[in-house]
Amino acid sequence: MTKSTRSDTKSDAAFPRRGHDHHRCVADALSQAEALCAQRGARLTEIRKQVLALVWESHAPIGAYQILEKLAESGKRPAPIAVYRALDFLMEQGFVHRLASRNAFLGCGHPDTNHQAQFLICDSCGSVAELADSRIVDAIADRAGRSGFAVAGHVVEIQGTCPDCRKAAHA
Amino acid sequence: MTKSTRSDTKSDAAFPRRGHDHHRCVADALSQAEALCAQRGARLTEIRKQVLALVWESHAPIGAYQILEKLAESGKRPAPIAVYRALDFLMEQGFVHRLASRNAFLGCGHPDTNHQAQFLICDSCGSVAELADSRIVDAIADRAGRSGFAVAGHVVEIQGTCPDCRKAAHA
DNA sequence: GGTCATTTTGTTACATTATAACGTGACGTG
DNA sequence: CACGTCACGTTATAATGTAACAAAATGACC
Ligand SMILES: [Zn+2]
Ligand SMILES: [Zn+2]
Ligand SMILES: [Zn+2]
Ligand SMILES: [Zn+2]
């Protein structure tokens, strides 16, 4: 395809802007999770909520043991398994993604829909953009199809440098 | 370099055929590695060769500690770090890929060229096909570009069922 | 051959990530 | 309240990956 102007919307909203109101991100994520759990009859227990909040602490992925540390700071130190169990629940519900290339976890930006996400991961600042790119998915489906391979899922994690960090590097 | 992605038609040779002469795969991989190391002034030492051979034992990825076990069976039991060091060397030389979604390693099918591979991983038999699909790469590059993201590398690992296993399931 | 720098390997110890097994408590249903 | 299920706590362990430093092998040079 073409180079498709950088001036559509100035940048394709994949990465959250630096300095955005992140409290809003967290609040939205939590309230969406509450709502969806209510709908689904799933139980968003205290530890699950805490883990979800910690995962949403930033747009960079966080490791399970980092979550554990943060929980310890706020009073309790659960066993690792407790964190993993909470993360398993959150992933089942689609509230959290796992980045295989980092062994780390990330809040999902649209937990209401079943989806296969792709990720842009900034090597410099660590922040991640979640994508749902149909061209990538189509290309994968097409190639798999030609090989007679039935696709069940995929891991697409793209490393590089995010727009903000590129600007910073230029300076 | 190879224009391997287009118009191979009809079941694109991505997966090796069941019952192919795999000794040939191993022999080719080893002799290619020898040749490339000679060209490059790199040293394909004994343990590196052994690890490469073990990685090529099948078209399924193998874990570092599985390699360790196999080495132990054949006499020596090196420390884990020795295996990881050999794997690091082999990855630097482009003889081996690592599958992030499996924490496992796989022989590279075309070690002579610098490339970013994608992988089809069969959940059923474990075998893996290595791809170099330009449409996938282009879709990634395009999407990243539109986000102002500079791509440095990617992990594309597609899970599902390979042609042979699909046939077997149908029966 | 002898010196020397570099690379490779050995050895020991440790770090990080993730799960197993099993008991107890919380919750909803009838 | 009795029952079944789900969630959680506790303990131990598995699986994967590295750090640090010493010893040995290699190759270039004189
Ligand atoms: Zn935010
Ligand atoms: Zn960045
Ligand atoms: Zn083969
Ligand atoms: Zn298969």
Side-chain angles (χ1 to χ4, degrees), chain A residues 2-13:
Chain A
T2 53
K3 6 195 71 175
S4 149
T5 74
R6 271 111 213 187
S7 44
D8 298 354
T9 56
K10 172 168 209 168
S11 96
D12 241 342

Side-chain angles (χ1 to χ4, degrees), chain A residues 29-53:
Chain A
L30 288 175
S31 64
Q32 273 197 80
E34 299 262 22
L36 289 168
C37 280
Q39 262 181 44
R40 298 171 185 168
R43 290 158 60 188
L44 190 61
T45 61
E46 192 53 31
I47 190 172
R48 290 168 176 176
K49 202 184 303 186
Q50 287 177 331
V51 168
L52 182 58

Side-chain angles (χ1 to χ4, degrees), chain B residues 16-17 20-26 56-59:
Chain B
R17 267 181 243 166
H20 70 281
D21 179 8
H22 187 61
H23 284 35
R24 176 58 72 95
C25 298
V26 180
W56 269 102
E57 206 169 65
S58 83
H59 290 276

Side-chain angles (χ1 to χ4, degrees), chain B residues 132-150:
Chain B
D133 190 279
S134 57
R135 261 190 75 203
I136 296 174
V137 173
D138 287 350
I140 287 173
D142 185 61
R143 187 58 177 82
R146 274 185 285 132
S147 299
F149 184 88

Side-chain angles (χ1 to χ4, degrees), chain A residues 89-160:
Chain A
F89 170 84
L90 295 169
M91 286 191 290
E92 271 166 29
Q93 296 297 321
F95 302 161
V96 162
H97 294 289
R98 180 172 186 275
L99 298 190
S101 64
R102 303 275 174 133
N103 298 324
F105 302 84
L106 180 70
C108 173
H110 30 88
D112 47 325
T113 66
N114 255 19
H115 59 283
Q116 274 282 354
Q118 304 85 45
F119 302 94
L120 301 175
I121 308 174
C122 179
D123 289 327
S124 170
C125 67
S127 85
V128 173
E130 178 179 349
L131 309 176
D133 189 279
S134 58
R135 259 191 76 204
I136 295 174
V137 173
D138 288 350
I140 287 173
D142 184 64
R143 187 57 176 81
R146 274 185 286 132
S147 298
F149 183 89
V151 175
H154 68 232
V155 172
V156 177
E157 299 176 12
I158 303 159
Q159 296 106 42

Side-chain angles (χ1 to χ4, degrees), chain B residues 42-122:
Chain B
R43 291 159 58 190
L44 189 61
T45 61
E46 193 51 31
I47 190 172
R48 290 169 177 173
K49 202 185 302 184
Q50 288 177 331
V51 169
L52 182 57
L54 287 171
V55 163
W56 269 102
E57 206 169 65
S58 83
H59 290 276
I62 185 173
Y65 280 76
Q66 287 175 266
I67 292 171
L68 194 57
E69 278 312 307
K70 303 225 175 204
L71 285 172
E73 284 168 21
S74 46
K76 327 114 214 274
R77 173 180 293 271
I81 186 103
V83 172
Y84 282 103
R85 286 198 281 227
L87 287 168
D88 283 345
F89 170 84
L90 295 169
M91 285 191 289
E92 273 167 28
Q93 296 297 322
F95 301 160
V96 163
H97 294 290
R98 180 173 189 275
L99 298 189
S101 64
R102 302 274 174 131
N103 299 325
F105 302 84
L106 181 70
C108 173
H110 30 87
D112 46 327
T113 67
N114 256 19
H115 60 281
Q116 275 281 353
Q118 303 85 46
F119 302 93
L120 301 175
I121 308 173
C122 179

